[in-house]
């Protein structure tokens, strides 16, 4: 039976099976072990007479996709077949990958014009030398994508007009680069420089930057931190700000500690407050309603200090039982814990709870000053001088925190004192919370909403063949990345004035890393080992050194950030030096390796001479989506599973650890039985007897790695970082 295909121009033509086979062969180019005939046979099973041309491509994609669990190489075949469908949708005809070398440049100029005409792109992009930029597009880089990465870009990132995509991958990266280079003097050269680090997967900007750079609403920042005032105007102003910031893809961290606790006196009505929890329900529902422009779920995290009298009910917000009017199932929550609480836990002491309306200064205090004020309030409470006062065993509250964390995943555990004592900006105020991913630690107050612009270096792209870090390449990448992040501050669209004022005053950025687990796999080092801890230390020191160097180079070129004077940078105290400040405040309870490998004195002298362009430079973000896009392990996390199905807004995707498959093939162990065993044991090698112990150690999954190794690796990294890591 002959199968006819319905072309986009309305014509019906016989299915060209040899051409279909050739497209599958082209998608398999330079990939070992691909059964082209099996993909073709599965494709032909699922098409019918009169099938639209694009459905033939989709059938081939589904056929290849079903084989990903057999071999990770099929992941790339699937992505390349998807790329063929994308070209068909955008160019209106089937164009091979080989032909794209000539097609990209003319398409690119048309795409910019079309995007501007559709009121999607900034009209300033037309002022670039589009011929020069089009010539810089590297069509071969379309072959780097895995299926999950490319499908995610297609569904959620590529611009479209009435549902039809107009943006191909290299045009997408160039559009982002152009948006970030708008204010550069030699902007074509800078745009090409930015494009190269993005399209090579050496560095990736955060999702809001990828969404909005070069568009008419260039909200490029990832995180906003706010402090909520203790009155109705302030509370609902904060909720309004949440909605406006979330609309343009910003994630939110709200400090709710100033809001008075349940039972507190309300002077204006002579009544009693209902506390924080009812307002958090409104925040939760606002995050659901304003879902980041329809591109991803709204994301907000509420922070509360451990001494707040509503803390016990706050801990239960994510429970699935109880009064649903006092539950927040869609938002995140976090504890903001002072060191004094942990001391009381270790010493078996009691812990006192207050209302901030009666203890207003605790919110802005930390370290020894907090401890002094807190103990004074405890004495007043014991004398009956406070209307809201409760005393409980610190250990029982700590146990409840951990129980809720185990049961619901919330509230997260974050620490107030080290975030403030080590903050480079402690002269400008207090860090009252982190963000929804706990890596941002910036000051907030009634007049300033903290803003952070994120992006992450792909660490695995900076290893030499012998597994050592390529310091020269890493420095080049970080210098370009810091410039891109600094540019975001000036180009950014700020939905709220308080955010703009804060960002221009302090100019913080948050450059992180991803692909750490990939590096360990390449180096054949188990995550649970001293070698992994040493690599965590060495790699983070190098990233930090080059990041701070890049910022001081930008300061020499562009000037210091306005609030630099009086900062720890200005005082000659670098992030790893601030460990001494923390030790002095705590008077103990601090163990950290202090080894240095880089020439920090040289950098310290350079900062003394030129200052810093950015108040903060580093933050280790979770990189969930951008790691998917480029196909590496997220952030600094160990492998979740070696074979699993990942679900997101784009669907379900089979994810296979290609490093493991490579090693199992080399050992003659990769077969259908091994695939079945991995499925049965949830992607773990632990109970598969025929796998050597060495491979079990290297490919141990997140729940098999002793947490002490994650803590030690985090400790080694954190000493170099001027913010935090998730």
């Amino acid at each position: 039976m002959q199968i006819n295909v319905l072309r986009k121009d309305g014509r019906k033509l016989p299915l060209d099976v040899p051409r279909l086979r050739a497209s599958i062969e082209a998608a398999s180019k330079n990939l070992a072990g691909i059964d082209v005939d099996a993909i073709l046979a599965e494709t032909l099973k699922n098409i019918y007479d009169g099938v639209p041309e694009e459905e033939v491509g989709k059938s081939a994609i589904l056929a290849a996709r079903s084989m990903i669990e057999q071999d990770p190489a099929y992941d790339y075949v699937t992505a390349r077949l998807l790329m063929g469908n994308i070209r068909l949708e955008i160019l209106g005809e089937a164009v091979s990958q080989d032909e794209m070398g000539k097609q990209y440049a003319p398409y690119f100029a048309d795409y910019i014009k079309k995007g501007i005409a559709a009121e999607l792109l900034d009209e300033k992009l037309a002022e670039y030398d589009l011929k020069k930029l089009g010539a810089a597009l590297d069509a071969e880089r379309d072959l780097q994508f895995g299926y999950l990465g490319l499908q995610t870009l297609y569904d959620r990132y590529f611009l479209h007009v009435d549902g039809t995509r107009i943006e191909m991958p290299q045009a997408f990266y160039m559009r982002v680069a152009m948006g970030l280079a708008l204010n550069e003097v030699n902007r074509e050269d800078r745009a090409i420089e930015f494009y190269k680090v993005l399209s090579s997967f050496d560095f990736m900007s955060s999702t809001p930057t990828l969404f909005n750079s070069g568009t008419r609403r260039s909200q490029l920042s990832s995180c906003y931190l706010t402090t909520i005032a203790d009155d109705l105007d302030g509370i609902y102003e904060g909720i309004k700000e949440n909605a406006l910031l979330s609309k343009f893809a910003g994630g939110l961290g709200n400090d709710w500690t100033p809001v008075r606790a349940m039972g507190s006196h309300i002077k204006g009505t002579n009544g009693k407050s209902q506390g924080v929890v009812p307002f958090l329900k409104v925040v939760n529902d606002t995050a659901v309603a304003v879902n980041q422009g329809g591109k991803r779920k709204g994301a907000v995290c509420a922070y509360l200090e451990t001494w707040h009298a509503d803390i016990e009910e706050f801990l239960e917000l994510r429970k699935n039982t109880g009064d649903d009017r006092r539950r927040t199932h869609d938002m995140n929550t976090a504890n903001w814990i002072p060191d004094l609480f942990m001391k009381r836990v270790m010493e078996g002491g009691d812990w006192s709870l207050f209302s901030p309306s009666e203890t207003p200064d605790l919110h802005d205090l930390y370290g020894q000053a907090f401890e002094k004020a807190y103990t004074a309030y405890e004495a007043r409470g014991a004398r009956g001088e406070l209307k809201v006062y409760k005393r409980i065993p610190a250990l029982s509250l700590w146990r409840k925190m951990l129980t809720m964390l185990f049961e619901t995943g919330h509230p997260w555990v974050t620490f107030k004192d080290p975030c403030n004592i080590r903050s480079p900006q402690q002269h400008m105020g207090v860090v009252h919370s982190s963000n929804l991913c706990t890596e941002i630690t910036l000051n907030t107050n009634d007049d300033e909403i903290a803003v952070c612009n994120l992006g992450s270096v792909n660490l695995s792209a900076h290893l030499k063949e012998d597994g050592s870090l390529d310091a020269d390449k890493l420095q080049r990448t970080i210098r370009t990345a810091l410039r891109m992040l600094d540019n975001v501050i000036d180009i950014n669209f700020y939905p709220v004035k308080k955010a703009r004022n804060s960002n221009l005053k302090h100019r913080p950025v948050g450059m992180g890393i991803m692909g750490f687990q990939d590096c360990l796999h390449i180096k054949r080092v188990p995550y649970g080992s001293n070698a992994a801890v040493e690599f965590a230390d060495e790699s983070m020191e190098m990233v930090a050194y080059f990041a701070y160097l890049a910022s001081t180079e930008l300061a020499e070129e562009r000037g210091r950030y306005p609030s630099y004077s009086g900062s720890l940078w200005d005082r000659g105290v670098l992030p790893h030096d601030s460990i001494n400040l923390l030790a002095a405040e705590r008077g103990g309870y601090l163990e950290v390796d202090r080894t240095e490998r880089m020439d920090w004195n040289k950098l310290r002298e350079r900062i003394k001479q030129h200052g810093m362009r950015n108040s903060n430079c580093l933050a280790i973000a979770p990189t969930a989506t951008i790691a998917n896009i480029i196909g590496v392990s997220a952030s600094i996390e160990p492998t979740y599973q070696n074979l699993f199905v990942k679900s997101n807004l784009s669907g379900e995707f089979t994810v296979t650890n290609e490093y493991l498959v490579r090693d199992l093939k080399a050992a003659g162990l990769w077969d259908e039985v091994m695939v079945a065993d991995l499925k049965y044991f949830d992607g773990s090698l632990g109970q598969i007897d025929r796998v050597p112990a060495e491979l079990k150690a290297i490919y141990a999954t997140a729940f098999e790695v002793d947490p002490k190794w994650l803590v030690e690796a985090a400790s080694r990294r954190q000493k170099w970082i001027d913010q935090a890591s998730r």
Side-chain angles (χ1 to χ4, degrees):
M1 171 184 163
Q2 178 174 293
I3 296 176
N4 293 302
V5 176
L6 182 64
R7 297 285 298 273
K8 294 192 82 172
D9 58 11
R11 292 181 297 152
K12 274 191 175 183
L13 296 175
L15 174 65
D16 190 338
V17 177
R19 183 176 179 180
L20 176 59
R21 191 182 195 286
S23 70
I24 297 172
E25 278 186 335
S28 307
K29 185 178 178 181
N30 298 325
L31 297 173
I34 302 301
D35 189 338
V36 172
D37 291 325
I39 298 174
L40 178 62
E42 188 65 26
T43 303
L44 294 174
K45 268 190 208 176
N46 297 307
I47 57 178
Y48 51 90
D49 188 42
V51 63
E53 186 175 13
E54 62 271 19
E55 291 298 324
V56 177
K58 288 179 181 179
S59 181
I61 291 166
L62 291 173
R65 172 181 171 172
S66 68
M67 301 175 186
I68 290 174
E69 66 181 34
Q70 299 174 20
D71 194 311
Y74 284 102
D75 192 44
Y76 294 98
V77 176
T78 310
R80 293 173 186 183
L81 291 169
L82 173 60
M83 192 63 237
N85 254 27
I86 293 172
R87 291 194 293 267
L88 176 64
E89 177 179 347
I90 293 173
L91 300 176
E93 59 181 337
V95 178
S96 71
Q97 179 64 40
D98 291 339
E99 294 172 311
M100 281 308 298
K102 295 179 180 177
Q103 289 268 22
Y104 247 122
Y107 146 75
F108 179 70
D110 290 341
Y111 146 74
I112 295 293
K113 293 173 186 173
K114 186 179 290 187
I116 292 171
E119 298 185 345
L120 295 173
L121 296 180
D122 190 328
E123 293 177 356
K124 294 176 184 176
L125 299 194
E127 299 170 8
Y128 278 88
D129 183 343
L130 298 180
K131 186 175 181 181
K132 180 177 181 178
L133 297 185
L137 300 179
D138 186 349
E140 288 298 304
R141 292 184 175 178
D142 285 348
L143 300 176
Q144 297 178 112
F145 290 101
Y147 175 52
L148 170 58
L150 187 58
Q151 188 69 59
T152 300
L153 283 181
Y154 176 83
D155 288 340
R156 294 158 59 190
Y157 290 76
F158 291 165
L159 296 178
H160 61 87
V161 177
D162 296 328
T164 300
R165 302 301 181 278
I166 63 171
E167 199 166 50
M168 287 197 286
Q170 302 311 310
F172 162 72
Y173 286 124
M174 185 59 84
R175 182 258 295 171
V176 174
M178 293 164 73
L180 295 177
L182 278 171
N183 293 342
E184 295 279 5
V185 176
N186 51 339
R187 58 187 183 183
E188 280 80 13
D189 291 338
R190 288 296 184 189
I192 292 171
E193 176 188 344
F194 297 166
Y195 160 76
K196 286 181 177 178
V197 297
L198 292 169
S199 63
S200 64
F201 297 170
D202 289 342
F203 169 80
M204 194 57 55
S205 296
S206 65
T207 284
T209 302
L210 298 179
F211 277 164
N212 299 324
S213 181
T215 68
R216 291 163 68 91
R217 275 281 191 267
S218 56
Q219 195 302 103
L220 313 179
S221 297
S222 301
C223 304
Y224 295 90
L225 280 62
T226 68
T227 290
I228 308 298
D230 183 31
D231 58 67
L232 278 180
D233 284 345
I235 290 168
Y236 281 97
E237 179 69 19
I239 294 171
K240 176 187 173 184
E241 288 167 348
N242 276 4
L244 290 171
L245 295 167
S246 183
K247 175 182 177 181
F248 294 103
L252 306 163
N254 296 158
D255 159 34
W256 282 87
T257 299
V259 177
R260 69 193 66 191
M262 179 183 286
S264 299
H265 180 66
I266 302 174
K267 186 176 180 180
T269 62
N270 199 29
K272 290 187 177 182
S273 170
Q274 289 295 304
V276 171
V277 170
F279 295 113
L280 293 180
K281 178 67 172 174
V282 180
V283 174
N284 178 88
D285 295 344
T286 302
V288 173
V290 187
N291 62 345
Q292 302 201 15
K295 294 181 178 179
R296 60 177 182 172
K297 294 178 181 178
V300 60
C301 182
Y303 283 76
L304 200 70
E305 289 199 44
T306 314
W307 53 264
H308 195 290
D310 288 345
I311 188 67
E312 293 175 287
E313 192 173 8
F314 180 79
L315 296 177
E316 298 182 342
L317 282 171
R318 289 294 296 258
K319 287 185 71 171
N320 290 322
T321 57
D323 184 353
D324 210 53
R325 292 170 298 179
R326 303 185 77 83
R327 297 289 181 264
T328 58
H329 302 297
D330 307 287
M331 65 178 279
N332 303 302
T333 56
N335 292 298
W336 192 237
I337 302 173
D339 279 357
L340 180 60
F341 174 73
M342 299 309 300
K343 288 181 183 177
R344 296 279 179 91
V345 170
M346 287 185 280
E347 293 166 359
D350 286 339
W351 185 248
S352 298
L353 305 180
F354 310 105
S355 174
S357 58
E358 296 182 292
T359 59
D361 54 334
L362 291 182
H363 183 239
D364 285 333
L365 297 176
Y366 54 87
Q368 294 175 7
F370 173 87
E371 184 168 347
K372 182 179 179 181
Y374 182 88
T375 53
Y377 281 122
E378 283 189 305
R380 287 186 60 193
R383 293 194 300 268
E385 297 175 10
L386 301 177
K387 293 182 179 178
V388 178
Y389 175 71
K390 183 178 181 181
R391 196 169 178 88
I392 57 176
L395 185 58
S396 68
L397 182 59
W398 177 239
R399 281 178 175 157
K400 185 170 184 179
M401 286 180 179
L402 298 183
T403 300
M404 288 298 101
L405 192 62
F406 180 80
E407 183 179 326
T408 71
H410 295 83
W412 303 328
V413 175
T414 59
F415 298 98
K416 176 183 183 179
D417 287 16
C419 289
N420 279 284
I421 293 164
R422 297 190 61 210
S423 169
Q425 290 294 96
Q426 57 191 251
H427 67 302
M428 293 303 297
V430 178
V431 181
H432 290 123
S433 72
S434 187
N435 63 321
L436 67 98
C437 301
T438 74
E439 80 275 14
I440 303 304
T441 53
L442 300 173
N443 303 340
T444 57
N445 55 50
D446 290 344
D447 301 314
E448 290 189 4
I449 292 177
V451 185
C452 207
N453 316 302
L454 303 180
S456 295
V457 174
N458 175 10
L459 206 58
S460 63
H462 295 82
L463 290 184
K464 297 178 181 177
E465 289 187 7
D466 64 1
S468 63
L469 284 165
D470 187 337
D472 292 338
K473 181 181 179 182
L474 189 60
Q475 182 175 5
R476 288 195 303 273
T477 297
I478 290 174
R479 181 178 284 131
T480 299
L482 251 292
R483 189 179 195 94
M484 294 164 72
L485 290 169
D486 187 62
N487 286 357
V488 166
I489 296 167
D490 299 306
I491 295 165
N492 201 38
F493 166 74
Y494 295 95
V496 176
K497 187 177 179 181
K498 287 190 281 188
R500 182 180 188 277
N501 294 342
S502 170
N503 216 20
L504 292 174
K505 185 176 181 182
H506 311 302
R507 304 190 69 85
V509 299
M511 193 187 73
I513 59 173
M514 54 185 164
F516 179 77
Q517 176 71 90
D518 290 70
C519 291
L520 297 182
H521 285 335
I522 292 167
K523 293 165 69 68
R524 298 183 62 74
V525 170
Y527 204 117
S529 68
N530 285 318
V533 170
E534 289 300 323
F535 179 70
D537 197 343
E538 174 197 358
S539 58
M540 199 68 242
E541 179 180 8
M542 195 175 289
V543 168
Y545 187 91
F546 292 140
Y548 304 147
L549 176 60
S551 187
T552 194
E553 288 173 347
L554 283 172
E556 181 180 5
E557 176 188 341
R558 296 175 168 178
R560 302 171 177 181
Y561 67 91
S563 62
Y564 172 81
S565 182
S567 66
L568 291 190
W569 304 110
D570 187 33
R571 290 159 51 189
V573 179
L574 299 188
H576 64 285
D577 301 326
S578 68
I579 295 288
N580 297 326
L581 302 179
L582 183 59
E585 283 284 342
R586 281 186 176 175
Y589 301 109
L590 185 64
E591 297 177 16
V592 61
D593 184 280
R594 303 295 292 271
T595 304
E596 297 180 14
R597 302 166 186 81
M598 310 290 284
D599 189 350
W600 289 96
N601 286 331
K602 183 178 178 181
L603 179 58
R604 197 176 278 107
E605 286 302 312
R606 202 182 195 293
I607 293 172
K608 184 178 180 181
Q609 181 180 358
H610 299 291
M612 293 286 282
R613 179 64 175 169
N614 313 99
S615 65
N616 303 75
C617 298
L618 296 177
I620 311 299
T623 73
T625 309
I626 60 173
N628 286 342
I629 289 171
I630 68 174
V632 299
S633 56
S635 190
I636 52 177
E637 303 294 330
T639 298
Y640 170 59
Q641 291 176 357
N642 290 304
L643 175 63
F644 66 101
V645 174
K646 181 179 181 66
S647 298
N648 64 18
L649 292 176
S650 294
E652 296 188 341
F653 301 86
T654 302
V655 179
T656 308
N657 187 333
E658 60 183 284
Y659 303 104
L660 170 62
V661 174
R662 175 200 63 195
D663 284 353
L664 289 176
K665 283 182 177 179
L669 295 174
W670 184 249
D671 52 28
E672 291 182 3
V673 176
M674 181 61 72
V675 172
D677 284 347
L678 281 171
K679 287 181 179 179
Y680 184 80
F681 292 115
D682 293 326
S684 167
L685 298 175
Q687 298 182 62
I688 305 177
D689 294 339
R690 59 195 176 119
V691 175
E694 179 191 10
L695 292 186
K696 289 182 179 180
I698 293 172
Y699 297 106
T701 59
F703 297 105
E704 296 172 314
V705 176
D706 190 320
K708 73 176 184 180
W709 295 110
L710 278 73
V711 172
E712 183 61 31
S715 171
R716 294 289 192 94
R717 289 189 201 95
Q718 188 58 52
K719 66 184 174 187
W720 306 114
I721 301 172
D722 58 359
Q723 291 196 75
S725 54
R726 49 133 10 236

